[in-house]
Amino acid sequence: MTDRLQLRALRRPEDDDALAQFLGDNEWPFHMRPRPTQADAARRIADGRYDQPGNAAFWITLKDQRIGFAALEDLDDDTPLFDLRLALDARGRGFGVRILQLLTREVFERSPEARRFEGQTREDNVAMRKTFLRAGWVKEAHYREAWPVEGSDPVASVAYAILRRDWETGMTTPVPWGDE
Ligand SMILES: CC(C)(COP(=O)(O)OP(=O)(O)OC[C@H]1O[C@@H](n2cnc3c(N)ncnc32)[C@H](O)[C@@H]1OP(=O)(O)O)[C@@H](O)C(=O)NCCC(=O)NCCS
């Protein structure tokens, strides 16, 4: 048993049912599909969503218990992307920043092509926005009205990224907003 938060590679197809259950049992208010059914989730997993070339998927574990799921995409590109989902009862306990740091290390250590690591979230996902900043990421864009919301007006999508060189040096390269 270990106290550490860890990323553990998703095993397919052994873990398919458990992952579909995890995705169906929790709500994802800031994702495009806030309440996927277990069957929806099972279909997407079986369709190969997490095992295309350049993708990787992980359970997030604490004391060997699964508390979340994370996926990486475009690892063979210069800008990989991620999805991060903690179970309802694991949210609001300060794990997000540590997990984002683990994912960042995973990307830059396993993918020599990656120069940047990028993520977007809805403007009202306060917890994720704080998590980005606390993990040393920098806001790069605010796409107004870019995120469709069923039954109401769209919200903004906010983009953050961390550079490999910033991760290596612990420095932060600012965005040159005043260059016009
Ligand atoms: C987003 C997520 C990864 C953040 O991780 P977390 O461990 O829950 O975040 P923390 O507990 O460190 O909370 C970060 C901050 O947000 C605040 N916060 C948490 N939930 C909040 C909410 N619903 N509304 C407002 N603020 C909130 C916390 O109070 C904390 O701020 P503080 O330290 O100044 O008090 C996690 O909540 C999650 O998986 N959510 C569901 C999936 C999701 O939205 N993923 C993001 C996809 S891009």
Side-chain angles (χ1 to χ4, degrees):
M1 184 153 110
T2 171
D3 280 323
R4 283 188 305 131
L5 271 175
Q6 291 187 309
L7 299 176
R8 298 209 177 145
L10 183 77
R11 292 165 309 154
R12 297 220 47 231
E14 300 93 304
D15 293 344
D16 287 12
D17 289 348
L19 179 57
Q21 188 175 353
F22 173 81
L23 294 171
D25 279 354
N26 292 278
E27 290 198 4
W28 312 103
F30 302 112
H31 279 76
M32 291 289 178
R33 288 189 191 79
R35 276 171 292 278
T37 63
Q38 201 170 318
D40 289 338
R43 204 170 313 113
R44 282 152 55 93
I45 298 163
D47 284 349
R49 180 178 173 81
Y50 300 118
D51 48 14
Q52 285 159 14
N55 290 7
F58 307 90
W59 292 110
I60 298 158
T61 61
L62 177 73
K63 296 184 183 175
D64 293 329
Q65 300 297 311
R66 292 171 179 168
I67 63 160
F69 171 74
L72 299 172
E73 288 177 22
D74 299 337
L75 284 164
D76 43 9
D77 193 13
D78 56 2
T79 306
L81 303 167
F82 72 93
D83 184 23
L84 167 56
R85 299 170 184 251
L86 291 179
L88 261 170
D89 58 5
R91 295 176 200 165
R93 294 166 57 189
F95 296 138
V97 63
R98 290 163 61 195
I99 298 161
L100 188 55
Q101 287 165 339
L102 287 178
L103 287 170
T104 304
R105 189 174 78 198
E106 181 73 23
V107 163
F108 289 134
E109 285 186 352
R110 78 189 267 162
S111 168
E113 292 87 357
R115 290 191 70 94
R116 312 158 28 82
F117 185 25
E118 193 175 300
Q120 287 199 29
T121 196
R122 282 169 50 147
E123 63 179 318
D124 50 351
N125 193 348
V126 176
M128 191 63 222
R129 294 183 65 177
K130 287 188 178 183
T131 298
F132 275 125
L133 296 180
R134 287 175 183 168
W137 291 48
V138 174
K139 178 176 168 180
E140 291 189 329
H142 195 105
Y143 300 104
R144 297 164 299 163
E145 302 185 12
W147 196 297
V149 179
E150 204 177 316
S152 64
D153 290 337
V155 295
S157 180
V158 192
Y160 296 79
I162 186 166
L163 301 179
R164 175 189 290 277
R165 62 188 163 96
D166 284 5
W167 172 73
E168 284 170 348
T169 60
M171 310 283 281
T172 302
T173 305
V175 177
W177 292 115
D179 62 342
E180 283 148 326

